[in-house]
Amino acid sequence: MTQIQEYLKQHGYEHFAPKAVLFDMDGVLYNSMPNHAVAWQRSMAEFGIHMTANDAYATEGARGIDTIRNMVRAQRGQDITLEEAQRMYDIKTRLFHEMPEAPVFDGVIALMKQIKEAGMKIGVVTGSGQRPLIQRLMTDFGDFLDESHIVTAYDVTKGKPAPDPYLMGLQKVGNLQPWEGIVVENAPLGVRAGVAAGCLTIAVNSGPLPDRILAQEGAHLIYNNMVELADDFHHFLSRNNQNQEK
């Protein structure tokens, strides 16, 4: 049984007809997670909160304010307000933007070209709400991405791992059904969100966590990097078309 057949059986769908690809941003489009990890550790230390690099990777994709509230609750046993969490997150944001600009991953542009040539739409679903990052998305990927197809932390009240961000992404790119969307993620919480939204979810393991963590969250396919995914994407679509014709 192929991964697509397993996906259809898992969700009880009759067919898989992808019309859009929804990308996470950090760790998928940009090699930005090392910078984020440093910014998280330094900013949280200012508030007496211990956060490791692995914590940053494990919680990547969630809304920043949710991550902070969870860390404070776990280490201090107290609930802070959204406003308090936002002030802490603002410091993390400042530290991140003081660091060198993260590069676009190799393979991303090649993959987006294939998606566009296949007549599919592209969306970005990120737990960030920082305007400079959204502007950079349009600078780097304006030939493939419409700004109205970007989901940020401010578009949902429940961030990843809830399915809401990817359900919103499906809505923004054209009111699509889950079996019409492909999610590309790198983080456990994001994979869980994509699977919960009912989309075929591809994991690109660009971080230090082992593949088994992403598999445990339900990733239907796992690649080592974006170049591998770009190289296989045409064959992936061809295999799906062959399955549909059977």
Side-chain angles (χ1 to χ4, degrees):
M1 184 180 293
T2 68
Q3 293 97 331
I4 293 175
Q5 290 172 326
E6 291 176 356
Y7 159 73
L8 294 173
K9 182 178 180 180
Q10 174 189 8
H11 291 281
Y13 298 150
E14 293 184 0
H15 62 283
F16 171 58
K19 296 180 180 178
V21 178
L22 303 177
F23 290 95
D24 177 39
M25 182 174 68
D26 293 303
V28 172
L29 301 180
Y30 298 108
N31 188 14
S32 50
M33 280 309 297
N35 287 356
H36 277 293
V38 172
W40 271 119
Q41 291 176 89
R42 290 179 178 173
S43 61
M44 291 303 99
E46 292 188 19
F47 297 94
I49 299 298
H50 177 68
M51 190 171 190
T52 67
N54 275 1
D55 288 334
Y57 279 94
T59 58
E60 194 266 310
R63 298 192 309 170
I65 54 175
D66 292 336
T67 296
I68 290 170
R69 296 183 81 193
N70 290 337
M71 295 290 288
V72 172
R73 185 180 300 114
Q75 296 188 27
R76 292 184 183 169
Q78 66 181 105
D79 290 314
I80 60 173
T81 65
L82 290 173
E83 291 74 20
E84 289 175 300
Q86 185 64 56
R87 285 194 292 270
M88 296 169 70
Y89 186 60
D90 288 344
I91 293 176
K92 182 263 176 184
T93 299
R94 174 178 58 79
L95 291 174
F96 176 77
H97 285 294
E98 289 175 354
M99 304 176 77
E101 189 172 71
V104 175
F105 272 118
D106 291 341
V108 170
I109 297 298
L111 177 56
M112 287 191 174
K113 285 181 179 178
Q114 291 184 67
I115 295 167
K116 184 176 181 179
E117 290 170 359
M120 301 168 65
K121 294 180 178 179
I122 291 173
V124 174
V125 178
T126 174
S128 173
Q130 303 169 32
R131 186 63 199 171
L133 294 180
I134 307 308
Q135 292 172 334
R136 189 184 174 198
L137 283 171
M138 296 311 302
T139 298
D140 293 336
F141 309 117
D143 291 341
F144 312 101
L145 177 66
D146 190 293
E147 187 168 350
S148 65
H149 296 169
I150 300 173
V151 177
T152 74
Y154 300 116
D155 289 310
V156 294
T157 55
K158 291 183 179 180
K160 304 171 189 177
D164 304 41
Y166 281 112
L167 293 174
M168 177 63 71
L170 291 170
Q171 182 179 330
K172 282 198 170 194
V173 296
N175 294 313
L176 301 183
Q177 298 297 320
W179 58 85
E180 296 176 314
I182 297 172
V183 166
V184 181
E185 267 284 354
N186 70 301
L189 297 185
V191 169
R192 195 189 310 174
V195 173
C199 297
L200 185 131
T201 302
I202 297 173
V204 177
N205 194 356
S206 60
L209 302 178
D211 284 355
R212 61 177 174 79
I213 300 296
L214 300 171
Q216 287 169 1
E217 295 293 353
H220 301 105
L221 296 117
I222 300 177
Y223 293 89
N224 291 317
N225 52 59
M226 292 298 286
V227 172
E228 278 191 8
L229 174 54
D231 288 346
D232 190 53
F233 192 73
H234 174 74
H235 302 292
F236 167 77
L237 291 181
S238 297
R239 291 195 298 271
N240 178 57
N241 292 335
Q242 292 170 2
N243 287 334
Q244 300 299 328
E245 293 170 359
K246 291 180 179 179

